[in-house]
Amino acid sequence: MYDPNNIFAKILRKELPATCVYEDDHVLAFKDIHPAAPIHVLVITKKAYSSFDDFSACANEQEIVLFWQGVYKTVQALRLSLQGYRLVTNIGTDGGQEVPHLHVHILAGKPLGTKVCV
Ligand code: 5GP
């Protein structure tokens, strides 16, 4: 199911470059190459899960906690709590997911309104 040749797997293996903004043992967070907002960061798991759906079905509780803690630590590293931000995760075909490796988009840096999607 999981494609180890997806772009984010290559970024994790350092085969492709990325501008890292936060990293720990469980997540890597880096700038989106085509930002949809002034701040647009992707937080990915270091383990091989193809989507939020796959992750939620197969990861254990500790992995799930550590992933979401990594998302929040990225938010803290970017100092976004005061002004606010949006989290998005696209899943599958109808969800518009392009890269089949679990990731959460963090969008921020301006009022996002109701129509910003990625
Ligand atoms: P998805 O549609 O899967 O939720 O989002 C994938 C995101 O990955 C898109 O916002 C796209 O701009 C971003 N992206 C695709 N390829 C690369 C890449 O090589 N480097 C970085 N930093 N972002 C990428």
Side-chain angles (χ1 to χ4, degrees), residues 7-8 11 30-34 40 42 90 96-99 103 105:
I7 289 168
F8 294 169
I11 287 174
F30 54 89
K31 292 184 180 180
D32 195 292
I33 203 167
H34 295 125
H40 187 172
L42 303 167
N90 298 319
Q97 182 179 2
E98 293 174 21
V99 181
H103 55 284
H105 299 253

Tab-separated table of all heavy atoms in Angstrom, residues 7-8 11 30-34 40 42 90 96-99 103 105, ligand 1:
chain	number	residue	atom	x	y	z
A	7	ILE	N	7.353	11.508	-2.792
A	7	ILE	CA	8.253	12.673	-2.618
A	7	ILE	C	8.645	12.874	-1.163
A	7	ILE	O	9.806	13.181	-0.854
A	7	ILE	CB	7.570	13.935	-3.188
A	7	ILE	CG1	7.509	13.859	-4.713
A	7	ILE	CG2	8.311	15.207	-2.753
A	7	ILE	CD1	6.610	14.898	-5.342
A	8	PHE	N	7.709	12.697	-0.246
A	8	PHE	CA	8.029	12.967	1.158
A	8	PHE	C	8.935	11.883	1.746
A	8	PHE	O	9.770	12.176	2.610
A	8	PHE	CB	6.756	13.141	1.986
A	8	PHE	CG	5.945	14.358	1.607
A	8	PHE	CD1	4.663	14.537	2.097
A	8	PHE	CD2	6.466	15.330	0.766
A	8	PHE	CE1	3.923	15.656	1.754
A	8	PHE	CE2	5.733	16.459	0.409
A	8	PHE	CZ	4.452	16.612	0.899
A	11	ILE	N	12.255	13.037	0.774
A	11	ILE	CA	12.707	14.134	1.645
A	11	ILE	C	13.196	13.564	2.977
A	11	ILE	O	14.237	13.975	3.494
A	11	ILE	CB	11.576	15.175	1.827
A	11	ILE	CG1	11.401	15.975	0.519
A	11	ILE	CG2	11.867	16.102	3.014
A	11	ILE	CD1	10.234	16.941	0.516
A	30	PHE	N	8.463	21.021	7.280
A	30	PHE	CA	9.225	21.806	6.291
A	30	PHE	C	8.261	22.659	5.480
A	30	PHE	O	7.050	22.401	5.429
A	30	PHE	CB	10.041	20.869	5.388
A	30	PHE	CG	9.247	19.790	4.718
A	30	PHE	CD1	8.653	19.984	3.485
A	30	PHE	CD2	9.057	18.552	5.347
A	30	PHE	CE1	7.909	18.986	2.871
A	30	PHE	CE2	8.314	17.538	4.749
A	30	PHE	CZ	7.741	17.765	3.504
A	31	LYS	N	8.827	23.686	4.821
A	31	LYS	CA	8.004	24.622	4.057
A	31	LYS	C	7.455	23.952	2.799
A	31	LYS	O	8.185	23.224	2.108
A	31	LYS	CB	8.837	25.851	3.679
A	31	LYS	CG	9.213	26.700	4.873
A	31	LYS	CD	9.953	27.950	4.427
A	31	LYS	CE	10.335	28.788	5.637
A	31	LYS	NZ	11.066	30.006	5.250
A	32	ASP	N	6.183	24.243	2.499
A	32	ASP	CA	5.576	23.755	1.258
A	32	ASP	C	6.225	24.469	0.070
A	32	ASP	O	6.469	25.669	0.095
A	32	ASP	CB	4.066	24.014	1.276
A	32	ASP	CG	3.342	23.222	0.213
A	32	ASP	OD1	3.528	23.514	-0.992
A	32	ASP	OD2	2.585	22.300	0.582
A	33	ILE	N	6.484	23.717	-0.976
A	33	ILE	CA	7.169	24.268	-2.140
A	33	ILE	C	6.281	25.244	-2.922
A	33	ILE	O	6.778	26.124	-3.629
A	33	ILE	CB	7.683	23.118	-3.054
A	33	ILE	CG1	8.833	23.580	-3.918
A	33	ILE	CG2	6.567	22.513	-3.880
A	33	ILE	CD1	9.582	22.442	-4.597
A	34	HIS	N	4.966	25.108	-2.804
A	34	HIS	CA	4.011	26.016	-3.458
A	34	HIS	C	3.074	26.587	-2.393
A	34	HIS	O	1.927	26.125	-2.256
A	34	HIS	CB	3.201	25.289	-4.539
A	34	HIS	CG	4.019	24.809	-5.687
A	34	HIS	ND1	4.040	23.493	-6.106
A	34	HIS	CD2	4.886	25.467	-6.504
A	34	HIS	CE1	4.879	23.373	-7.126
A	34	HIS	NE2	5.398	24.551	-7.384
A	40	HIS	N	3.206	28.394	5.178
A	40	HIS	CA	2.615	27.114	4.737
A	40	HIS	C	3.657	26.023	4.977
A	40	HIS	O	4.659	25.928	4.256
A	40	HIS	CB	2.225	27.178	3.262
A	40	HIS	CG	1.463	25.973	2.787
A	40	HIS	ND1	0.884	25.910	1.537
A	40	HIS	CD2	1.166	24.783	3.393
A	40	HIS	CE1	0.292	24.726	1.391
A	40	HIS	NE2	0.463	24.019	2.506
A	42	LEU	N	4.407	21.865	6.085
A	42	LEU	CA	3.896	20.492	6.090
A	42	LEU	C	4.565	19.732	7.229
A	42	LEU	O	5.782	19.789	7.375
A	42	LEU	CB	4.220	19.801	4.768
A	42	LEU	CG	3.688	20.501	3.519
A	42	LEU	CD1	4.338	19.906	2.272
A	42	LEU	CD2	2.180	20.386	3.440
A	90	ASN	N	-5.431	16.410	3.676
A	90	ASN	CA	-6.206	15.878	2.554
A	90	ASN	C	-6.030	14.362	2.521
A	90	ASN	O	-4.921	13.857	2.716
A	90	ASN	CB	-5.703	16.488	1.246
A	90	ASN	CG	-5.883	17.996	1.215
A	90	ASN	OD1	-6.906	18.514	1.652
A	90	ASN	ND2	-4.891	18.715	0.717
A	96	GLY	N	-8.342	15.180	-2.454
A	96	GLY	CA	-7.340	15.948	-3.193
A	96	GLY	C	-5.916	15.707	-2.731
A	96	GLY	O	-5.047	16.551	-2.937
A	97	GLN	N	-5.654	14.545	-2.145
A	97	GLN	CA	-4.299	14.249	-1.663
A	97	GLN	C	-3.378	13.954	-2.840
A	97	GLN	O	-3.643	13.054	-3.639
A	97	GLN	CB	-4.342	13.054	-0.701
A	97	GLN	CG	-2.974	12.726	-0.112
A	97	GLN	CD	-3.032	11.555	0.871
A	97	GLN	OE1	-4.087	10.956	1.084
A	97	GLN	NE2	-1.901	11.229	1.449
A	98	GLU	N	-2.269	14.714	-2.923
A	98	GLU	CA	-1.308	14.510	-4.009
A	98	GLU	C	-0.177	13.580	-3.602
A	98	GLU	O	0.312	12.795	-4.418
A	98	GLU	CB	-0.691	15.851	-4.424
A	98	GLU	CG	-1.648	16.814	-5.076
A	98	GLU	CD	-0.990	18.176	-5.321
A	98	GLU	OE1	0.255	18.243	-5.350
A	98	GLU	OE2	-1.732	19.152	-5.454
A	99	VAL	N	0.285	13.736	-2.367
A	99	VAL	CA	1.453	12.967	-1.927
A	99	VAL	C	1.000	11.909	-0.917
A	99	VAL	O	0.462	12.244	0.146
A	99	VAL	CB	2.516	13.886	-1.295
A	99	VAL	CG1	3.732	13.077	-0.861
A	99	VAL	CG2	2.922	14.986	-2.269
A	103	HIS	N	0.513	13.755	6.005
A	103	HIS	CA	1.009	15.101	6.294
A	103	HIS	C	-0.142	16.002	6.686
A	103	HIS	O	-1.262	15.843	6.208
A	103	HIS	CB	1.769	15.693	5.107
A	103	HIS	CG	1.002	15.719	3.819
A	103	HIS	ND1	0.807	14.592	3.049
A	103	HIS	CD2	0.376	16.722	3.180
A	103	HIS	CE1	0.104	14.915	1.977
A	103	HIS	NE2	-0.188	16.207	2.037
A	105	HIS	N	-1.037	20.073	6.766
A	105	HIS	CA	-0.668	21.423	6.350
A	105	HIS	C	-0.923	22.383	7.510
A	105	HIS	O	-2.002	22.340	8.124
A	105	HIS	CB	-1.542	21.885	5.182
A	105	HIS	CG	-1.440	21.071	3.939
A	105	HIS	ND1	-0.792	21.504	2.804
A	105	HIS	CD2	-1.940	19.834	3.627
A	105	HIS	CE1	-0.886	20.590	1.845
A	105	HIS	NE2	-1.586	19.565	2.325
B	1	5GP	P1	-1.563	17.223	-0.604
B	1	5GP	O1	-2.331	17.661	-1.814
B	1	5GP	O2	-1.009	15.846	-0.767
B	1	5GP	O3	-2.351	17.413	0.666
B	1	5GP	O4	-0.359	18.237	-0.447
B	1	5GP	C1	0.904	17.989	-0.960
B	1	5GP	C2	1.689	19.262	-0.811
B	1	5GP	O5	3.052	18.974	-1.033
B	1	5GP	C3	1.302	20.372	-1.808
B	1	5GP	O6	0.888	21.536	-1.090
B	1	5GP	C4	2.594	20.613	-2.601
B	1	5GP	O7	2.815	21.980	-2.886
B	1	5GP	C5	3.653	20.057	-1.677
B	1	5GP	N1	4.827	19.533	-2.361
B	1	5GP	C6	4.840	18.710	-3.441
B	1	5GP	N2	6.095	18.397	-3.786
B	1	5GP	C7	6.902	19.022	-2.890
B	1	5GP	C8	8.317	19.057	-2.734
B	1	5GP	O8	9.104	18.465	-3.475
B	1	5GP	N3	8.790	19.797	-1.696
B	1	5GP	C9	7.967	20.477	-0.843
B	1	5GP	N4	8.541	21.181	0.149
B	1	5GP	N5	6.623	20.457	-0.963
B	1	5GP	C10	6.106	19.739	-1.980
